[in-house]
Amino acid sequence: GQQVMQIPQYQHVQEGEDFTTYCNSSTTLSNIQWYKQRPGGHPVFLIQLVKSGEVKKQKRLTFQFGEAKKNSSLHITATQTTDVGTYFCAGPSPAGTYKYIFGTGTRLKVLA
Amino acid sequence: DGGITQSPKYLFRKEGQNVTLSCEQNLNHDAMYWYRQDPGQGLRLIYYSQIVNDFQKGDIAEGYSVSREKKESFPLTVTSAQKNPTAFYLCASGTAETQYFGPGTRLLVL
């Protein structure tokens, strides 16, 4: 079945350093979504990418969708302690438009 | 985030007991979802519903049941057949473009 993997599983960075997490799907995706979950909280939608090669920015966050629409990345410039949490990507399942498969997640810790 | 409520925040289950987790949304979304999250792990889909009176099994439906009698409500029952129910349960509603999650219910077994 469809799998969505993320690397790394964990990342510790010093405040001010950059951070990148990568998302890889075993199948081509029509779109990809990114979510952030703070410790003890629930996932919060960040963005959706639809087009091949698409790049979107939200302040210090840069999201990319691969040309083949099978991978994506999230890059954070100059991390802050508020960036702490787990970042998940999610792609639609071939089984249905409304069913999504979540990636394994990357847990980010930022050391002050 | 706002617009989806889950209750209770914490729930304790005794051996052999069925418990029901509530999920309500006022976002007028057709689709609703239940996910299970174990400590330090990702989200696993239990059940989802795309329309009232219809729902589909996710990847880990065994030991769980749901109903979708109203568009706003999608309760999840954890039955006694679920032998390892301790987890964080997240309800979501959404469209084809995004999902909005509720605050979650932490279920513990006594």
Side-chain angles (χ1 to χ4, degrees):
Chain A
Q2 179 188 19
Q3 291 187 330
V4 180
M5 304 296 293
Q6 284 182 251
I7 55 171
Q9 189 175 4
Y10 302 96
Q11 184 84 57
H12 294 184
V13 299
Q14 287 292 137
E15 189 173 22
E17 291 182 340
D18 292 356
F19 159 78
T20 304
T21 173
Y22 300 91
C23 175
N24 296 287
S25 170
S26 58
T27 61
T28 301
L29 303 170
S30 60
N31 69 81
I32 195 156
Q33 299 172 3
W34 284 91
Y35 294 81
K36 176 184 178 180
Q37 184 177 23
R38 294 182 185 273
H42 58 276
V44 174
F45 173 77
L46 293 176
I47 207 163
Q48 182 190 42
L49 304 172
V50 179
K51 299 177 183 177
S52 170
E54 188 171 14
V55 178
K56 286 188 176 180
K57 292 190 175 184
Q58 290 179 349
K59 296 183 180 178
R60 294 179 295 105
L61 277 61
T62 302
F63 303 85
Q64 286 189 305
F65 200 10
E67 294 291 339
K69 301 183 79 172
K70 293 183 71 174
N71 56 73
S72 181
S73 66
L74 159 60
H75 179 82
I76 303 178
T77 303
T79 54
Q80 300 175 358
T81 54
T82 54
D83 295 324
V84 165
T86 302
Y87 293 85
F88 293 99
C89 61
S93 165
T97 304
Y98 287 91
K99 182 181 179 183
Y100 276 79
I101 305 297
F102 277 77
T104 47
T106 295
R107 188 182 301 178
L108 173 65
K109 284 194 174 181
V110 180
L111 307 173
Chain B
D1 298 14
I4 300 182
T5 57
Q6 290 187 243
S7 62
K9 188 173 182 179
Y10 296 94
L11 185 59
F12 298 92
R13 194 191 92 163
K14 296 180 181 179
E15 289 285 339
Q17 187 181 40
N18 292 353
V19 291
T20 297
L21 284 60
S22 169
C23 178
E24 303 279 332
Q25 57 105 355
N26 62 5
L27 300 170
N28 200 33
H29 289 152
D30 287 320
M32 295 189 75
Y33 308 81
W34 276 105
Y35 293 91
R36 170 178 170 145
Q37 187 175 38
D38 292 287
Q41 303 297 312
L43 305 174
R44 292 188 290 170
L45 183 63
I46 305 172
Y47 271 98
Y48 69 106
S49 168
Q50 297 181 167
I51 197 168
V52 174
N53 291 322
D54 188 38
F55 48 83
Q56 287 77 40
K57 292 182 179 180
D59 302 316
I60 56 165
E62 186 174 349
Y64 301 96
S65 66
V66 293
S67 63
R68 187 85 187 277
E69 297 177 1
K70 298 186 300 181
K71 188 175 186 177
E72 302 79 17
S73 179
F74 192 40
L76 173 74
T77 296
V78 184
T79 74
S80 56
Q82 174 50 244
K83 298 306 178 187
N84 185 23
T86 297
F88 186 38
Y89 290 87
L90 288 157
C91 176
S93 72
T95 66
E97 286 78 36
T98 187
Q99 295 183 43
Y100 296 90
F101 285 82
T105 293
R106 294 190 187 276
L107 176 61
L108 299 169
V109 177
L110 296 178

